[in-house]
Amino acid sequence: MKAKLLDVARGKMRGTVPTMTDVARRASTTVATVSRVINNTGYVSAALRSRVIAAVEEIGYVPNANARTLRTKRSRTIGIVVGDLTNPYSMELASSVTQTAVGFGYTTFIGAATDDVDSDVSVIDAFHRQRVDGLVIATLRTERSDAALVRLAERGMPVVLVGREIDGAVIDSIGADYRTGGRMATKHLIDLGHRRVAFVGANLGEADRVTRLQGYVDALDEAEIRIRPEYVVGSPGRGASPRYSGHGIGHQATLKLLKLSTPPTAIFARNDHTAFGVLQALTENGISVPEDMSVMGFDDIPIAARVVPSVSSVSQPTQKQGEAAVEYLLARIERPEESKEPRRLSLDCTLIARQSSGRVPKAKTASKRNSTKKS
């Protein structure tokens, strides 16, 4: 055994990489037999199989993944593209996808977008070149990424979107009822007496593609509260980006809102990560939450319940989204003939009221004349 280990060490020092031929020679068998054992194809006696496995371990042979991919046309790998690695929602989703994929014998790799409008396209192209079996995409929509994903789908690459949809291609999507969630969050604040409610994380012009912002508008309309454009704040000059709104945008937008002659009494943040930036800006300016200002988030990431004050939020079932994304993707990979139509799954959202949302102080209640729609 010591001699064999020395042989391996000498081989590594010389820079040689053990091959299947080396395994066959060590196990006193043929390369074809070694291949059957490694790839689990064809009959090999138990004794011979044990001998081959022992030889593999002794010389440190690692099967060539690229060669196996060319033979089987499967890499058993999945690429995950997320909008922002610093956003806890992205990590929770990626974790769910990974845990589920591993259970089916697949390995996952994660790539993240930057503020560059084409960054997610670069990640998608890189995964395609690496011959992953399929892609789970959890970035915001851009025209370039939509076009790239449609091209891949037309070439037979299985793709599942999380949080967005694409028409005109066989691409499945997993999401939640974000519009209803946005409406619930805003209505919660209105029910607490707030009539000056701001939305942070997107500009008003993005309402057609940010459905939780649409829900905000719906709730104001239903309550006959005038929509104030200055209360809807995103990132100035950012334009279309595959990244999610985050802490920095929440902080900057809140500072801008506080400078208004009539600031809001409540802020609904596009997601919890943005809400944390809102909280920081309020704390820095000596504004108590919820005594002076109420704050609402979205996603209900685990830390939202642990910070002080704990953040009211709208919960979307992130774990289930990841599980469903893998199930849909593997159906496309392993049973492509099963469905030729795109599948859509929308899960329900749930309102979670915590410490950060409270009744509006009487002194800060907007007058009916200023806050309601003009007839």
Side-chain angles (χ1 to χ4, degrees):
M1 177 61 74
K2 183 180 292 185
K4 291 179 179 179
L5 292 175
L6 287 173
D7 288 343
V8 174
R10 291 191 188 104
K12 289 181 178 178
M13 289 174 65
R14 290 193 301 268
T16 60
V17 178
T19 65
M20 201 176 291
T21 300
D22 297 327
V23 176
R25 186 180 299 115
R26 179 60 58 88
S28 300
T29 186
T30 65
V31 170
T33 298
V34 172
S35 177
R36 287 198 295 273
V37 172
I38 290 172
N39 295 300
N40 198 28
T41 58
Y43 172 77
V44 178
S45 69
L48 184 51
R49 181 179 295 275
S50 296
R51 207 161 71 229
V52 170
I53 292 173
V56 167
E57 293 175 349
E58 287 171 6
I59 70 172
Y61 172 71
V62 178
N64 188 314
N66 289 333
R68 180 179 293 180
T69 298
L70 290 174
R71 289 195 305 272
T72 66
K73 296 184 179 180
R74 292 273 182 84
S75 64
R76 299 197 73 80
T77 59
I78 292 172
I80 307 171
V81 187
V82 297
D84 186 354
L85 284 174
T86 66
N87 190 319
Y89 165 77
S90 297
M91 288 297 89
E92 186 179 359
L93 178 67
S95 176
S96 175
V97 170
T98 297
Q99 291 173 7
T100 307
V102 167
F104 287 100
Y106 283 75
T107 300
T108 60
F109 296 95
I110 302 173
T114 66
D115 282 328
D116 184 341
V117 69
D118 295 328
S119 63
D120 61 336
V121 177
S122 298
V123 177
I124 290 166
D125 288 344
F127 277 141
H128 185 221
R129 290 194 299 271
Q130 292 300 316
R131 298 178 181 269
V132 296
D133 289 336
L135 291 169
V136 174
I137 308 295
T139 58
L140 297 180
R141 176 186 174 274
T142 68
E143 291 184 5
R144 286 286 304 277
S145 65
D146 276 6
L149 292 171
V150 168
R151 285 196 301 270
L152 286 182
E154 289 173 345
R155 295 171 185 168
M157 168 68 78
V159 177
V160 173
L161 300 176
V162 178
R164 67 191 249 217
E165 298 179 1
I166 293 180
D167 295 324
V170 183
I171 296 178
D172 299 328
S173 63
I174 311 295
D177 191 351
Y178 304 112
R179 184 166 186 167
T180 297
R183 176 183 169 276
M184 288 191 301
T186 309
K187 186 176 184 301
H188 170 65
L189 296 170
I190 293 171
D191 289 344
L192 290 170
H194 296 277
R195 301 189 71 79
R196 301 203 305 267
V197 182
F199 183 94
V200 165
N203 297 307
L204 197 55
E206 300 177 89
D208 61 331
R209 66 186 184 89
V210 182
T211 49
R212 59 195 72 181
L213 176 54
Q214 294 174 14
Y216 163 85
V217 172
D218 291 343
L220 294 181
D221 280 341
E222 291 168 7
E224 297 187 339
I225 298 175
R226 178 170 61 88
I227 298 169
R228 303 174 64 150
E230 68 271 23
Y231 280 1
V232 183
V233 187
S235 178
R238 186 165 179 236
S241 169
R243 295 189 72 179
Y244 299 117
S245 169
H247 185 283
I249 291 176
H251 186 269
Q252 294 166 17
T254 302
L255 295 179
K256 183 176 181 180
L257 289 169
L258 294 178
K259 292 177 181 178
L260 295 174
S261 58
T262 306
T265 61
I267 296 176
F268 170 27
R270 182 173 177 170
N271 55 48
D272 293 338
H273 200 205
T274 303
F276 296 151
V278 172
L279 289 173
Q280 180 183 348
L282 294 176
T283 299
E284 290 172 352
N285 284 271
I287 297 172
S288 298
V289 177
E291 292 79 10
D292 300 322
M293 181 86 73
S294 285
V295 177
M296 189 85 198
F298 202 108
D299 291 340
D300 192 35
I301 59 177
I303 197 172
R306 300 174 191 149
V307 296
V308 179
S310 56
V311 178
S312 296
S313 188
V314 172
S315 174
Q316 61 169 316
T318 308
Q319 182 72 27
K320 290 183 180 179
Q321 287 176 334
E323 294 168 357
V326 173
E327 290 172 6
Y328 275 35
L329 190 65
L330 295 192
R332 293 290 181 194
I333 293 171
E334 299 178 354
R335 303 183 300 280
E337 73 290 342
E338 194 172 85
S339 175
K340 300 298 182 182
E341 297 296 324
R343 292 168 292 189
R344 305 277 188 260
L345 177 63
S346 180
L347 302 170
D348 292 334
C349 294
T350 306
L351 178 73
I352 309 293
R354 297 195 179 98
Q355 296 170 343
S356 69
S357 58
R359 298 201 64 82
V360 62
K362 291 182 180 180
K364 299 195 177 189
T365 303
S367 68
K368 194 170 186 178
R369 179 174 58 85
N370 291 331
S371 61
T372 57
K373 289 182 174 179
K374 295 180 180 179
S375 58

